[in-house]
Each structure stands twice: as structure tokens, then as C-alpha cells.
Amino acid sequence: ADMQGIKALTFDTGGTILDWHSGIKRALEVAGRRRGVTADWTTVTNEFRKRALGGIVNTIGHRYNFDDVHRAEQQRLSVQFEVATALAQAVDLSAAVHRVLQVICEHLGWHVGQLWQVADDRLRLLDTWHTGSSDVRGFVAASGALSLRHGEGYPGRVWATRLPCWIADAAVAPDFLRAEAARHDGLHGALAIPVLVHDQVWGVAEFFSARIERQDTALLRTLSTIGVQIGEFIVRHAAQEAVREDKRLLEEAQRRELRTGFEIQRSLLIGEAPAGIVGADVAGYAEPSRGVNGDFYAFTRFRSDCFELLVGDVMGKGVPAARVGAALRTTYHQVVTELGAGGIGGGGLPQP
């Protein structure tokens, strides 16, 4: 658009564009705490807004950058939302961890995110995410080579204190064990937060920037909240895994029960097909159902060219039906045996 002829532009700096009640008030509270000052920060914020509006029309000098405060507040809210979304969509712990590291680094403009896990009284590296433009292979290797005791190193200190920690420049920090690797790979600012599960430190998440970073208390507070979110996901994921494992064990037990039931059914109810029948090939096949039943078939061979087939379809399922089928099959064989021996009235076997 043609801007010629425009003498002034007016912006609503205290309305929807800038949430001064949350962003500015919180910033003033933080500044006050640092200096040991207590005040009615709502009143102070209102007065500050009036002066800022005056500053826009040059009645007072520039004192504070509203845009920076608002931008930082929106950034913190955005990263919390994106982390919550990532955890809600994750199907397993590995994918969730990697995505959370990525989200935090990308939203903050930091370059490396790492997650450490406590196992066997040691803190070891679990996963790393870094921007594609950063060559941090040396730093990642240095991290992976560590096995930290309680209180040892930067992550170990967070493990011991259960508190977040900030280092303005890890490359020159005397107690940072990977300072040389950080300096070589161009990493400086560092922050770390504990991940708590059932009020115990499950692990430590740490993040690194290519810039020297001045401590941001509000950001540390936001990331500490994210540490709690990660811990809640781990608890939920473990519970889901336990349910899946219980389901798997139950299904395996059911399969074993079905196999056992079918073996019993086959041994009691399913007859062997006779071999060597002149002019015929005889075979039998039974498909196991989802439970034991009483259905059966049986073969009786009379001569090389003569046999009889009995098929039984028993109503019902389960052991009672199997008992009926087994009783019928046994009775049938007894009758056939007695007929062949000349019993039951001496009538003998019927002719085919």
C-alpha cells in the first residue's frame, strides 16, 4: 500500500494485541522478587501501561519493550501446548521423548535436547535431538560416554537437588564435565530440569543453545511444568503397558487352554482313519473350535474292504458336552466289540 501522506499510526497496545495483565504483571513480579521489592503489581502494571501509552506519543521516554514480554509469554504457552499435544499423540515412550525434545528446542530456538534416565543408581543418556544445522557429534558422544553418580556432573546435580538449573555458558563453566566438547561444538547456554515419577527423579532433561543465555526464571518455571507432564506420561504409559501385558498373558493362557482342550478332545473323541482299505483312501480332519465340545467321529474296520463311520454332533459346549460325546463313542465301540464276539443275542455284526 502507498504510505505517503500518512502522518501517524495508532495501535491498541493495551488490548487484545498485548495481554499486559499476564505478561507485564508477571515480568514486574519477577523483577521485584529479584530486588526484594513487594508491591500491588496490578496497580503498578496499570500505571506502567498508562506511562507506556504516553511514551508512544513521546510524552515520556521509552522504558520497556512490550513486544518482547508478550512474545516470550506466547512462546512459553505455545511450547506447553505443543508438548501436551505431542505426549497425547505418542504411541510409545521413545517417540514421545524424541518429539518433546524437538518441540522444546524448536520453540525456544535452542540447538540440542537430551534426556537422561536413572537406572541402577546411575544416570545415563537415553535420547538426543539436535537441529540439522548443528554438528554436535562430539558433544553427543561425550554425553553418551558418561555414567553419572548421584550429584555428579550437571545432570547429576539436578538429580540430587530435584531442582532446575541454568548455566549461562557451559563452555567455560568449571564444573561442567563436557565443557571442552561443548566449546568445540559451539554450545554455550544450558538448562536442565528434573523429570519426576511418583515423586522420585526418573530422569533429567537438558537443553543447549549456541548462544550465551541469561537466566530466564519464567522459562525455567515453564519447563519444570513440562518435566511434570513428561513424568505423568511415563506413569500413564507404564500403566498402559501393564494392561497390554496382562491382556497378552491372558490371551496366551486362553490359547494354551484351547490347545490343551483340543488335544483332550482329539484323544477322546476323534478316531483314527483306517488304513489299507481296498478301493478307498480314508482320512479324517477336525478343526478346533474356541472351546471344548462333544462333537466326534469314529471309524470301525470290519474287513479290508469294509469299515463303518460314526459321526456325532453333540449340542452344547464345554466339558459336559465332551462327556456326552465320549460316552456315546465308548458305548458305540463296546456294542461293536460285543457284536463281533457274538454277544448281544449272538446276532453278530451287520452285513454292509
Side-chain angles (χ1 to χ4, degrees):
D2 186 4
M3 302 294 288
Q4 291 182 357
I6 296 177
K7 302 301 182 183
L9 294 173
T10 302
F11 299 93
D12 179 9
T13 60
T16 57
I17 295 177
L18 177 61
D19 181 9
W20 53 272
H21 266 304
S22 60
I24 301 302
K25 180 183 174 184
R26 188 175 293 113
L28 293 175
E29 288 175 343
V30 171
R33 280 199 300 271
R34 287 176 179 171
R35 293 165 175 79
V37 177
T38 58
D40 181 354
W41 296 113
T42 299
T43 301
V44 173
T45 302
N46 288 335
E47 180 62 27
F48 197 80
R49 175 175 177 262
K50 292 177 183 178
R51 294 192 178 198
L53 290 173
I56 290 175
V57 294
N58 296 321
T59 58
I60 62 174
H62 174 72
R63 300 290 182 88
Y64 205 83
N65 190 327
F66 280 77
D67 288 340
D68 287 346
V69 176
H70 184 58
R71 189 179 299 110
E73 177 68 14
Q74 290 300 107
Q75 183 185 62
R76 290 191 289 270
L77 292 174
S78 178
V79 73
Q80 281 187 281
F81 174 78
E82 290 295 333
V83 166
T85 301
L87 294 176
Q89 295 175 345
V91 295
D92 58 57
L93 180 59
S94 177
V97 164
H98 200 73
R99 178 59 181 156
V100 167
L101 295 177
Q102 178 184 0
V103 165
I104 293 175
C105 286
E106 288 181 343
H107 276 263
L108 300 182
W110 290 41
H111 295 73
V112 178
Q114 294 187 321
L115 184 67
W116 300 72
Q117 183 181 6
V118 176
D120 301 324
D121 292 327
R122 291 281 181 161
L123 197 59
R124 297 181 178 88
L125 185 65
L126 180 64
D127 192 17
T128 298
W129 184 92
H130 61 85
T131 60
S133 60
S134 302
D135 184 2
V136 292
R137 287 173 293 182
F139 183 78
V140 174
S143 299
L146 295 177
S147 178
L148 301 173
R149 294 185 296 271
H150 190 256
E152 182 182 14
Y154 184 44
R157 185 162 72 248
V158 175
W159 177 16
T161 62
R162 301 161 56 93
L163 295 172
C165 185
W166 189 293
I167 300 178
D169 190 356
V172 296
D175 57 346
F176 188 72
L177 299 180
R178 294 160 288 164
E180 182 177 349
R183 186 164 53 253
H184 180 272
D185 289 349
L187 299 177
H188 296 279
L191 66 88
I193 56 171
V195 176
L196 302 179
V197 172
H198 298 309
D199 202 38
Q200 298 295 320
V201 176
W202 179 92
V204 174
E206 59 178 2
F207 303 91
F208 298 89
S209 170
R211 305 174 297 272
I212 296 175
E213 300 282 356
R214 188 171 59 183
Q215 180 166 326
D216 184 336
T217 305
L219 178 59
L220 271 182
R221 187 164 55 245
T222 297
L223 292 184
S224 295
T225 301
I226 290 176
V228 174
Q229 288 179 271
I230 298 173
E232 291 173 347
F233 172 83
I234 292 171
V235 172
R236 185 170 70 252
H237 179 265
Q240 292 170 343
E241 284 294 305
V243 170
R244 282 192 285 266
E245 178 64 11
D246 289 344
K247 182 180 179 181
R248 186 191 68 80
L249 293 175
L250 177 60
E251 290 175 348
E252 178 61 29
Q254 290 173 337
R255 285 193 293 269
R256 287 197 302 269
E257 182 180 351
L258 289 176
R259 286 196 299 268
T260 302
F262 178 66
E263 291 299 324
I264 294 173
Q265 184 174 347
R266 184 171 61 179
S267 64
L268 294 177
L269 301 175
I270 306 302
E272 294 290 336
I277 297 297
V278 177
D281 292 326
V282 183
Y285 175 76
E287 180 71 25
S289 67
R290 293 190 60 81
V292 177
N293 58 49
D295 300 342
F296 69 93
Y297 62 80
F299 296 95
T300 301
R301 176 172 176 161
F302 299 132
R303 299 187 304 273
S304 62
D305 61 347
C306 178
F307 73 93
E308 186 171 70
L309 170 63
L310 175 68
V311 177
D313 184 3
V314 179
M315 294 180 63
K317 300 291 183 182
V319 175
R323 288 174 177 169
V324 172
L328 288 174
R329 184 171 182 266
T330 300
T331 301
Y332 165 75
H333 278 296
Q334 288 176 344
V335 170
V336 169
T337 300
E338 290 189 32
L339 285 173
I344 313 181
L349 290 171
Q351 295 301 311

